[in-house]
Amino acid sequence: MREMALRPMRRRARLIPNGWAVFAFGVAVFAVLPIVVILTTAMENTGALWSHVVVGILPQATRTTLTLLFGTAVLVTVIGTGCAWLVTAYRFRGRAFLEWGLLLPLAVPTYIMAYAYMDVLSPLGFIQGVIRDLLGYSSPREFRLPDIRAMWGAITLFGFVLYPYVYLTTRMMFLTQAANLVEASRTLGASRSAVFWRVALPLARPAIAVGVSLALMETLNDIGASQFLGVRTLTASVYTTWIVRNDLAGATQIATAMLVFVVALIWLERFARRRQRYATNAQRSRAMAARPLSGAKGALAFAVGFLPIFIGFVGPASYLLTAAIRRIEFAGISPHIVRATINTVSVSAAATVLVLVAGFVVAYASRIRPGPWTGSFLRLSTLGYAVPGTVLAIGILIPVAALDRFIDRSASEWFGLSTGLLFMGSGCALVYAYTARFLAISSGGIEAGLSRIAISYDHAARTLGHTSTGALLRVHLPLSRTALTAAGLLVFVDCMKELPATLLLRPLNFESLATLLYGEAARGTYEDAALAALVIVAIGMLPVTLLARVGTSSSDPVALADGAQDGRSGRRIFWKTSGRRSVST
């Protein structure tokens, strides 16, 4: 009877708006607004403009984008899956280095990779010069390698930079496959290669699809490498239509077409994970035993595994270091580099704080008031990561510019003052773009951290008289410091590397390290941009190091693989909890 009497009270309590749920709703609106603006703007009547976009721009840009995505998907699948199987199924000298070294290309943004190899592989570059000397030629007119500014060059560079997404998720899946599956297939007469093709690979297909979808989202978001290499993708078309042709409406309509690609990639990821339980419920008794390799076979295995590291990290990093030292010896450190570094750190730090606060709001609201509404707010807050930066920038520019005009007009009417571009000119629009784009990293990581805190702590805090806010300050924040730190590090580094949104939304006379590099590379002054690129790569090493630490020290690969598959959109959050210590990347 008492329980029946309490039910109406609980029902009424659920109907009373919770402050955290209201704030979570605001964060969700904040994140979804740019996408809504893009869709509504694209549906406006623009006369013959849309027909020009459909006939003159979309067909060629779509074919180019599809070709680039297909080639990149094939290459990252082959490299990532092959390297994952190599370091999982075989044991040889140097394997411990390859396990974490294969993650290093994640520290090199695609536009820096293209910038480095354009100079290294140019007809007047070092490599072609050495080849001509060996073959007895004296000038590029007599002998030159195929120009890297082509589709094959873009596919190669994207493949060797983005394969770690596939390597990471696939290797975690290989580690979860119990030894009894391999041993059973071997007792049935299957060779080791047959075990890979008929047992390990089919079970790892969901993880491969997840990694490929993430790599393709990064490819679709890229603008710098595509521009450098002369590949006119949809993203590059948005940029040139907006900036070069000063046609915001046309750029908006191209951006709408890009959303179709984003939806398709998200659907691919969901489709690949529809049978996730089947793929990850292998027995957890012991991992597959690695086959030892020694002598020439071991050396060959190490060479094969080191090749992607050399192309994707060692080569470009060595070039950047050499060029930066040469630039410093010749003219010192440019004041433009110092100013760009200060600008980058300032804006990235402001966006990181805002992202962490917003991410904690939606994650905590989902915890203390679980239900379809708060769950929807959490999912909506992660949509920005799936949207390319150019598309997001257009969706932010329109409402922020309208707000600037409204404030300026109101201030002029009321006070006789002109505020100008209050938000666009101060960098607030850029911080908004970073926040909406990388909110998925924060909310996903913090949600994973809160899920590791037993609900009994919440009940104990309530019985001691604490409100949900009091429990947050005394219980959840102290226990979530590791998750907050890791999420903040990831967000900060991603903000520093972000190029498309920064190019389109930066204030006048504002240069970040990424835009400074882009401008110098576009002008052909490669050495002047080397130091900026080196700073970006060095800072990008921080989350890679943290990720490698978790991946190599984990004694529970199943938990890591489950975490790899648990992300909704954005980078995956991997957790390892041991006693009172939690590590998140």
Side-chain angles (χ1 to χ4, degrees), residues 402-532:
L403 180 61
D404 273 342
R405 289 194 298 268
F406 173 77
I407 294 176
D408 182 62
R409 185 169 57 252
S410 301
S412 299
E413 293 176 356
W414 296 346
F415 308 107
L417 299 175
S418 176
T419 59
L421 299 176
L422 185 62
F423 293 103
M424 290 294 300
S426 62
C428 291
L430 189 57
V431 174
Y432 183 4
Y434 289 164
T435 305
R437 176 148 172 73
F438 301 120
L439 188 56
I441 301 174
S442 171
S443 59
I446 294 172
E447 182 194 17
L450 291 176
S451 67
R452 298 291 177 175
I453 302 174
I455 197 66
S456 58
Y457 288 129
D458 301 57
H459 298 160
R462 287 302 183 91
T463 58
L464 293 175
H466 291 293
T467 63
S468 57
T469 305
L472 167 68
L473 297 176
R474 293 177 175 267
V475 178
H476 297 101
L477 275 180
L479 294 177
S480 302
R481 283 179 301 186
T482 304
L484 283 169
T485 302
L489 175 62
L490 288 171
V491 171
F492 181 78
V493 172
D494 276 345
C495 289
M496 291 194 65
K497 296 191 298 184
E498 175 65 20
L499 178 63
T502 311
L503 274 176
L504 298 175
L505 293 176
R506 57 178 173 159
L508 295 175
N509 299 321
F510 179 93
E511 290 283 1
S512 69
L513 290 172
T515 59
L516 179 66
L517 165 63
Y518 179 84
E520 296 292 352
R523 288 188 289 269
T525 53
Y526 295 105
E527 289 185 0
D528 292 337
L531 187 57

Side-chain angles (χ1 to χ4, degrees), residues 39-104:
L39 296 176
T40 55
T41 305
M43 289 187 294
E44 295 178 357
N45 184 15
T46 57
L49 182 60
W50 174 242
S51 60
H52 166 70
V53 171
V54 171
V55 176
I57 299 178
L58 277 183
Q60 180 61 38
T62 301
R63 285 194 297 268
T64 302
T65 302
L66 287 175
T67 303
L68 180 61
L69 292 178
F70 177 77
T72 302
V74 172
L75 194 56
V76 297
T77 300
V78 172
I79 299 175
T81 306
C83 291
W85 181 252
L86 179 68
V87 300
T88 303
Y90 298 96
R91 185 173 68 252
F92 49 89
R93 186 181 297 275
R95 186 184 73 159
F97 165 75
L98 294 183
E99 286 179 347
W100 64 268
L102 285 165
L103 298 174
L104 289 175

Side-chain angles (χ1 to χ4, degrees), residues 132-383:
R132 282 194 296 270
D133 291 341
L134 293 176
L135 298 179
Y137 296 105
S138 59
S139 71
R141 294 181 179 179
E142 298 177 4
F143 174 84
R144 60 188 299 174
L145 296 176
D147 192 356
I148 194 176
R149 291 184 177 93
M151 179 61 72
W152 72 267
I155 291 174
T156 303
L157 292 183
F158 279 111
F160 278 96
V161 171
L162 301 177
Y163 78 84
Y165 287 111
V166 179
Y167 163 75
L168 193 58
T169 56
T170 306
R171 179 169 179 263
M172 294 305 171
M173 187 62 70
F174 285 154
L175 289 174
T176 68
Q177 296 173 4
N180 63 335
L181 294 176
V182 176
E183 292 169 356
S185 59
R186 296 302 299 273
T187 56
L188 293 174
S191 62
R192 185 165 288 269
S193 61
V195 170
F196 171 74
W197 291 107
R198 302 179 63 180
V199 179
L201 190 60
L203 290 176
R205 280 184 299 184
I208 295 173
V210 169
V212 169
S213 65
L214 287 173
L216 294 186
M217 285 183 184
E218 292 291 338
T219 304
L220 194 60
N221 178 64
D222 173 80
I223 188 173
S226 301
Q227 291 277 64
F228 293 159
L229 299 174
V231 178
R232 190 177 180 80
T233 61
L234 285 169
T235 307
S237 298
V238 171
Y239 178 76
T240 54
T241 302
W242 181 1
I243 301 300
V244 178
R245 300 178 183 175
N246 197 25
D247 183 4
L248 181 59
T252 303
Q253 291 164 340
I254 300 174
T256 306
M258 290 183 63
L259 290 177
V260 176
F261 284 87
V262 173
V263 172
L265 292 176
I266 294 176
W267 177 86
L268 173 65
E269 179 187 2
R270 296 290 183 180
F271 181 79
R273 294 198 292 126
R274 72 194 188 283
R275 298 180 180 177
Q276 177 186 348
R277 292 187 183 89
Y278 170 76
T280 59
N281 275 351
Q283 294 184 14
R284 306 185 180 189
S285 55
R286 55 193 176 91
M288 178 179 60
R291 177 186 176 185
L293 296 177
S294 59
K297 291 183 178 180
L300 179 61
F302 178 80
V304 170
F306 183 73
L307 182 62
I309 304 176
F310 180 82
I311 297 177
F313 179 79
V314 176
S318 301
Y319 163 79
L320 294 176
L321 182 61
T322 303
I325 293 175
R326 190 163 54 239
R327 176 64 174 81
I328 293 175
E329 290 177 346
F330 175 73
I333 298 178
S334 170
H336 298 294
I337 293 289
V338 178
R339 193 178 308 114
T341 303
I342 295 174
N343 292 339
T344 304
V345 172
S346 302
V347 176
S348 300
T352 300
V353 173
L354 191 57
V355 168
L356 290 179
V357 172
F360 208 105
V361 166
V362 293
Y364 192 62
S366 179
R367 177 184 176 88
I368 65 173
R369 187 61 69 92
W373 286 107
T374 53
S376 299
F377 299 156
L378 180 62
R379 302 298 164 255
L380 289 174
S381 69
T382 65
L383 290 180

